[in-house]
């Protein structure tokens, strides 16, 4: 089950905690992986760890020309992109009343517009091969909202609406478009929280703990697999029961 | 029939699974040949590859019939 031998996967934000784990999971299932991210050093480290079938594709997703070029670079490096995981994301938190246009726009650009451009860039190849998997990493916040994160929540909800629309259009071509919506996941981002903050978060989670990057990667692996061919337009919530949607 | 028309016809017949006789000058991909809107996108992609040309989106929208396609490609590759 969940064998990705011969498939090529492009993962954005692979230098981060969740993205790196997604890359490991898809690679372990036999996929060739294209590791994209802004910081090249962690990508090189991950590629060295994975060994064969790993390609480093640095890309700054706030540079729209670089975003347009990424699918072509990935296809050149790997021969195809059968699986796209839009995982990269940034936050620029601020109270709505204080949020600048720049804070709003930069989060929308990287989290939503770059995802749209990458979907577009890989779609031709997927349509031709009559097989494709797109997994957008959304967030619980896209469904529930979160104070201080109007921009991030809008972008993450936007990924779901965009993905569902695209899912309709390309379902007949063997291409699925789904989302994974993580809750609180223990990464470098949450390490910065104080114990007190963590405690306050944990009491809101029925599972009484944060999730792990591996638990997100497993959800992505399923949606990327041949076995998930009849699942499209879905959002898989992985949040320990924090929001049962 | 010109070489371009023959090649375009072959793509249309293969992609839409229609009989060759139905692919006439004024045959509309959607109204006469049973294509859906995504089929027309795929046809344009196939034309681009077959003829090594680029068909911009605004031009692609004007290609509604077999005749439109051959005319556009003849002009683009002239």
């Amino acid at each position: 089950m969940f064998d990705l031998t011969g498939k090529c996967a492009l993962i954005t934000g692979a230098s981060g905690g969740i993205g790196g784990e997604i890359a490991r999971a898809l690679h372990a299932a036999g996929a060739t992986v294209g590791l994209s991210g802004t910081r090249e050093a962690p990508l090189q480290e991950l590629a060295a760890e994975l060994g064969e079938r790993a390609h480093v594709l640095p890309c700054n997703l706030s540079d729209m020309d670089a975003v347009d070029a990424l699918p072509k670079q990935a296809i050149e490096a790997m021969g195809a992109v059968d699986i796209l995981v839009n995982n990269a994301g940034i936050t620029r938190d601020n109270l709505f009343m204080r949020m600048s246009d720049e804070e709003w726009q930069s989060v929308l650009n990287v989290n939503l517009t770059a995802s749209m451009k990458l979907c577009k860039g890989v779609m031709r190849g997927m349509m031709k091969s009559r097989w494709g998997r797109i997994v957008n990493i959304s967030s619980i916040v896209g469904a529930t909202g979160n104070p201080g994160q109007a921009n991030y929540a809008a972008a993450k909800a936007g990924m779901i609406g965009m993905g569902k629309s695209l899912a309709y259009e390309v379902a007949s071509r063997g291409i699925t478009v789904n989302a994974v919506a993580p809750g609180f996941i223990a990464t470098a981002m949450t390490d910065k929280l104080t114990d007190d903050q963590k405690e306050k978060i944990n009491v809101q989670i029925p599972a009484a703990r944060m999730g792990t990057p591996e638990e997100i990667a497993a959800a992505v692996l399923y949606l990327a697999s041949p076995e998930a061919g009849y699942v499209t337009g879905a959002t898989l919530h992985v949040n320990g029961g924090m929001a049962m949607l | 029939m010109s070489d371009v028309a023959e090649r375009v016809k072959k793509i249309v017949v293969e992609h839409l699974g229609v009989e060759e006789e139905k692919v006439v000058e004024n045959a509309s991909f959607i109204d006469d040949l049973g294509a859906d809107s995504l089929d027309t996108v795929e046809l344009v992609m196939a034309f681009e590859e077959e003829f090594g040309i680029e068909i911009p989106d605004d031009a692609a929208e004007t290609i509604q019939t077999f005749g439109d396609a051959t005319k556009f490609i003849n002009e683009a590759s002239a």
Side-chain angles (χ1 to χ4, degrees):
Chain A
M1 283 240 275
F2 311 150
D3 182 8
L4 299 182
T5 306
K7 303 293 185 198
C8 300
L10 173 61
I11 302 121
T12 66
S15 50
I18 293 176
E21 213 46 55
I22 292 169
R24 284 191 189 93
L26 300 185
H27 186 268
T32 298
V33 292
L35 310 171
S36 189
T38 314
R39 294 169 295 135
E40 194 174 343
L43 297 176
Q44 292 290 1
E45 259 173 56
L46 180 58
E49 175 199 318
L50 296 176
E52 280 175 31
R53 294 184 283 112
H55 302 268
V56 172
L57 302 163
C59 180
N60 176 0
L61 294 185
S62 60
D63 174 352
M64 290 303 153
D65 291 335
V67 175
D68 284 330
L70 181 58
K72 291 186 199 95
Q73 290 162 353
I75 290 164
E76 263 169 42
M78 301 191 288
V81 176
D82 307 298
I83 300 163
L84 169 66
V85 183
N86 281 311
N87 164 73
I90 59 166
T91 55
R92 294 281 183 275
D93 296 358
N94 208 342
L95 285 176
F96 187 84
M97 289 299 286
R98 296 193 191 285
M99 188 171 285
S100 68
D101 288 358
E102 197 279 329
E103 285 167 336
W104 172 269
Q105 202 57 52
S106 60
V107 169
L108 266 290
N109 279 350
V110 172
N111 298 10
L112 183 59
T113 307
S115 299
M116 176 274 286
K117 282 174 165 289
L118 295 178
C119 287
K120 222 172 172 183
V122 301
M123 198 46 64
R124 179 184 279 247
M126 289 182 180
M127 277 170 63
K128 276 186 72 179
S129 63
R130 291 288 188 269
W131 199 93
R133 295 283 184 271
I134 291 176
V135 183
N136 291 318
I137 306 302
S138 179
S139 167
I140 184 176
V141 161
T144 62
N146 199 26
Q149 292 200 307
N151 48 3
Y152 187 75
K156 292 299 186 181
M159 288 176 106
I160 292 175
M162 174 188 76
K164 286 180 179 177
S165 304
L166 179 56
Y168 265 109
E169 293 185 18
V170 297
S172 63
R173 268 56 174 180
I175 303 166
T176 69
V177 187
N178 291 289
V180 171
F184 277 99
I185 305 301
T187 62
M189 215 193 274
T190 54
D191 280 347
K192 282 186 264 176
L193 300 171
T194 64
D195 284 347
D196 192 40
Q197 284 174 313
K198 282 184 197 167
E199 186 51 41
K200 278 185 184 148
I201 289 166
N202 285 346
V203 297
Q204 297 173 49
I205 306 171
R209 64 170 178 86
M210 288 196 189
T212 64
E214 289 82 355
E215 287 168 326
I216 301 304
V220 174
L221 172 60
Y222 167 62
L223 293 173
S225 72
E227 284 80 359
Y230 203 53
V231 180
T232 194
T235 302
L236 184 45
H237 290 273
V238 184
N239 61 30
M242 192 175 176
M244 302 192 190
L245 302 160
Chain B
M1 195 176 270
S2 74
D3 172 51
V4 165
E6 278 300 328
R7 286 155 73 192
V8 169
K9 185 179 269 191
K10 189 162 174 285
I11 289 170
V12 173
V13 166
E14 274 174 17
H15 191 86
L16 300 179
V18 291
E19 284 158 31
E20 219 179 302
E21 305 84 70
K22 293 203 171 150
V23 187
V24 293
E25 186 74 13
N26 290 325
S28 156
F29 296 128
I30 290 177
D31 296 333
D32 302 318
L33 302 176
D36 64 20
S37 53
L38 194 58
D39 285 321
T40 62
V41 173
E42 288 188 316
L43 281 174
V44 166
M45 278 164 43
F47 298 150
E48 287 179 330
E49 268 160 44
E50 173 72 19
F51 296 99
I53 54 172
E54 204 157 305
I55 305 177
D57 288 342
D58 53 347
E61 281 166 21
T62 66
I63 301 175
Q64 303 284 342
T65 66
F66 172 63
D68 293 339
T70 51
K71 183 164 172 283
F72 182 90
I73 293 160
N74 273 321
E75 283 166 11
S77 43

